[in-house]
Amino acid sequence: VTVLLTIGEFSKATYLSVKALRHYHDVGLLEPVAVDPATGYRRYAAEQVPTAHAIRRFRELDMPLDEVRRVLAAPDLATRNQAILEHLDRMQAQLARTQEGVASLHALLEEGPRGAPDVSIRSIPSMAVAAVRGTVDHDGCGAWLEQALAGLHDRVASPSGPDGALYPDEFFEDGVGEVVAYVPTPSGDLVLPAVTVAVLVHDGPFAELDQAYGALGTAVAARGIGARGAIREHYLTPQTTEVCWPVRQEDA
Amino acid sequence: VTVLLTIGEFSKATYLSVKALRHYHDVGLLEPVAVDPATGYRRYAAEQVPTAHAIRRFRELDMPLDEVRRVLAAPDLATRNQAILEHLDRMQAQLARTQEGVASLHALLEEGPRGAPDVSIRSIPSMAVAAVRGTVDHDGCGAWLEQALAGLHDRVASPSGPDGALYPDEFFEDGVGEVVAYVPTPSGDLVLPAVTVAVLVHDGPFAELDQAYGALGTAVAARGIGARGAIREHYLTPQTTEVCWPVRQEDA
DNA sequence: TTGCTCCTCACGTCACGTGAGGTGGC
DNA sequence: TTGCTCCTCACGTCACGTGAGGTGGC
């Protein structure tokens, strides 16, 4: 007595393409209730329509199939809603980044002649810090850093210098890497080595920090003094970031 | 005298991964100014940093590489800004759909028991209409339809019936198809054939029309009367849509 | 001289879409 | 009986990521 639909009917009832339905069958996300053993014809039950609708909604929100699977498999409504809300949170975050991107794109397009950047060379002495490590990519970096620094400030009452972070070469070259967020303190658990760096102070929104990197990279390459090693950022104020690019010690 | 950067330096100066840079070289989107013939080492010019930044920004907005290429190749600033604004428009539209999706998702999750849908069988006589055709997919359908109907209303002073549209089977089964938007008028350029259909009236937001399709498909399959042929929608009011699913003539 | 930066294939990923070529049901 | 619905491969798409295996520069 359950109503069976052909794949064509089910397609119209759900707005899912036939190809998509077959794919969902292949990966076990949405299996027809019956498959004719002789012809291979798929039959879907009318009760599967709401599930299919849900899948389509999730996919429209760009939820990966694996996550859709998890959501559908959730043992209870609370777990399911939780999973959905998490996805929506990520969507919101990405949306916010997009908005920022659009704004700073306009800034980029209207930019006038750029003054010569003020790059200086400085030696940073060795320094003890309280630190947190995390493997992040570019997208997740901002949120992670905020969390990490907040956590460190709970542990360090009176820092002996501005907040900072270390970005290893792989973070840039592969797009992901182990970033170290730190707060200077004599009682720290990590000792940062002394380095000589080219420094550029960036004033302005975080999203435009790339300008500073471009200028620094150019300046370092122009003088042929570039060295490997993690780039450091010092967060002087919410609007002011110091970018420190390692250079070779000039033995002058 | 132009400053040359290695791919590693350029990567850090632009936030683009080395793999991405090589890919952009392969597809001719961003070519290094020099490639060592012996070693294959790529060298980028400092002047390429702003271009690379722009590419990254566009990619963060999910602009396809082909479009990025077009934007960068734009002969003048006006053309370029035009292209960017078009992309931003599309992003905005998608964003709006996402918001709707989120809203109606919540509705879907909190839905109570659904009453039995009120499906009726009706014969629609042949009818002359003014029509516009367009090949669209699900995403672009809403915007296209609005435009198309607006255009038709400019041509037809007093329609002899409610606006409508024809969605062929491929539109659902392949995800794209030639949709026909129409306004009934005796002086129309197209004559729609008579059909017998199962009808369901949907009251509510456009985004939840899928519910009606699910109910109709189920009802039609339950009675085993489904037929091929384009599905018609009649737009009675902004909130009320009649969905007409072709069925076989009952020879009772 | 050693390790490091860079190189080139070749293949994988994700969620399907695109034919080709072929068979069953009304 | 004809065309139509459906089927299964096999391969393509998009924008890179993932190693494998190997070479030049400080």
Side-chain angles (χ1 to χ4, degrees):
Chain A
V1 293
T2 92
V3 176
L4 295 183
L5 320 212
T6 67
I7 198 169
E9 291 169 329
F10 198 67
S11 168
K12 278 179 281 199
T14 60
Y15 294 175
L16 290 168
S17 79
V18 168
K19 292 287 186 180
L21 286 171
R22 288 205 267 254
H23 182 63
Y24 296 160
H25 182 189
D26 284 350
V27 301
L29 177 63
L30 180 65
E31 315 228 9
V33 289
V35 178
D36 186 309
T39 68
Y41 277 33
R42 296 167 176 83
R43 300 290 165 167
Y44 291 87
E47 290 76 43
Q48 294 183 290
V49 168
T51 305
H53 278 158
I55 292 174
R56 185 177 46 73
R57 297 284 179 89
F58 294 140
R59 285 297 303 137
E60 282 173 359
L61 301 178
D62 284 321
M63 190 186 283
L65 288 189
D66 267 345
E67 200 175 331
V68 174
R69 201 194 311 272
R70 273 198 296 280
V71 169
L72 294 182
D76 56 88
L77 252 171
T79 312
R80 181 150 82 143
N81 283 337
Q82 175 82 22
I84 293 169
L85 288 179
E86 274 170 26
H87 181 74
L88 291 185
D89 275 358
R90 282 198 296 280
M91 294 268 323
Q92 285 293 357
Q94 199 202 319
L95 219 126
R97 278 201 305 278
T98 299
Q99 301 281 24
E100 276 178 45
V102 170
S104 83
L105 190 58
H106 280 291
L108 192 73
L109 292 174
E110 268 133 45
E111 97 203 359
R114 195 175 297 287
D118 195 6
V119 176
S120 59
I121 308 293
R122 184 196 304 170
S123 285
I124 302 179
S126 171
M127 169 169 62
V129 299
V132 182
R133 291 160 193 285
T135 299
V136 293
D137 60 8
H138 261 293
D139 272 12
C141 182
W144 177 84
L145 186 65
E146 205 167 332
Q147 288 262 318
L149 289 177
L152 287 170
H153 276 281
D154 287 346
R155 280 162 45 195
V156 178
S158 43
S160 54
D163 296 351
L166 251 51
Y167 299 92
D169 290 327
E170 315 90 72
F171 177 73
F172 300 99
E173 293 171 12
D174 297 341
V176 283
E178 196 185 52
V179 174
V180 179
Y182 66 81
V183 172
T185 172
S187 63
D189 48 355
L190 178 71
V191 177
L192 300 185
V195 278
T196 303
V197 293
V199 179
L200 184 52
V201 177
H202 171 76
D203 257 293
F206 220 71
E208 285 164 29
L209 206 56
D210 55 356
Q211 308 295 325
Y213 275 80
L216 255 181
T218 300
V220 164
R223 298 174 206 182
I225 55 173
R228 292 290 286 186
I231 288 183
R232 296 187 190 191
E233 292 184 0
H234 298 152
Y235 308 106
L236 307 182
T237 78
Q239 282 284 306
T240 316
T241 302
E242 217 172 45
V243 182
C244 306
W245 184 305
V247 298
R248 280 199 303 280
Q249 202 101 6
E250 306 267 335
D251 347 86
Chain B
V1 293
T2 91
V3 176
L4 295 183
L5 320 212
T6 67
I7 198 169
E9 290 169 331
F10 198 66
S11 167
K12 278 179 282 201
T14 61
Y15 295 175
L16 289 168
S17 78
V18 168
K19 293 285 183 179
L21 286 171
R22 289 205 269 253
H23 182 62
Y24 296 159
H25 182 192
D26 284 349
V27 300
L29 177 63
L30 180 66
E31 315 228 8
V33 288
V35 177
D36 187 309
T39 67
Y41 276 35
R42 296 166 176 82
R43 299 290 164 167
Y44 292 87
E47 290 76 41
Q48 296 184 288
V49 167
T51 305
H53 278 158
I55 292 175
R56 186 176 46 73
R57 296 282 179 92
F58 294 140
R59 285 296 303 138
E60 283 173 358
L61 300 179
D62 284 323
M63 189 184 283
L65 288 188
D66 267 344
E67 201 176 330
V68 174
R69 200 193 315 271
R70 273 198 296 280
V71 169
L72 294 182
D76 57 85
L77 251 172
T79 312
R80 181 151 81 142
N81 282 338
Q82 175 84 23
I84 293 169
L85 288 180
E86 274 170 26
H87 181 75
L88 292 185
D89 276 358
R90 281 198 296 282
M91 294 268 321
Q92 285 292 357
Q94 199 203 319
L95 219 126
R97 276 202 304 280
T98 300
Q99 301 282 22
E100 277 178 44
V102 170
S104 82
L105 191 59
H106 279 293
L108 192 74
L109 293 173
E110 266 134 43
E111 99 203 356
R114 193 175 297 286
D118 196 6
V119 176
S120 59
I121 307 293
R122 184 195 304 171
S123 285
I124 301 179
S126 171
M127 170 170 59
V129 299
V132 183
R133 290 161 194 284
T135 298
V136 294
D137 61 8
H138 261 292
D139 272 11
C141 181
W144 177 83
L145 186 66
E146 207 167 332
Q147 288 262 318
L149 289 177
L152 287 171
H153 276 282
D154 287 346
R155 280 162 46 195
V156 178
S158 44
S160 54
D163 297 350
L166 251 50
Y167 299 91
D169 291 328
E170 315 90 71
F171 177 73
F172 299 98
E173 293 170 12
D174 297 341
V176 283
E178 197 185 50
V179 174
V180 179
Y182 66 81
V183 173
T185 172
S187 62
D189 48 354
L190 178 71
V191 176
L192 300 184
V195 279
T196 304
V197 294
V199 179
L200 183 54
V201 177
H202 171 77
D203 258 295
F206 220 71
E208 286 165 28
L209 207 56
D210 55 355
Q211 308 296 324
Y213 275 80
L216 255 182
T218 301
V220 164
R223 297 173 208 185
I225 55 174
R228 292 291 286 187
I231 287 181
R232 295 188 191 191
E233 292 183 359
H234 297 152
Y235 308 107
L236 306 183
T237 78
Q239 280 285 306
T240 316
T241 302
E242 216 171 47
V243 182
C244 306
W245 184 304
V247 299
R248 281 199 303 279
Q249 203 102 6
E250 306 267 334
D251 346 271

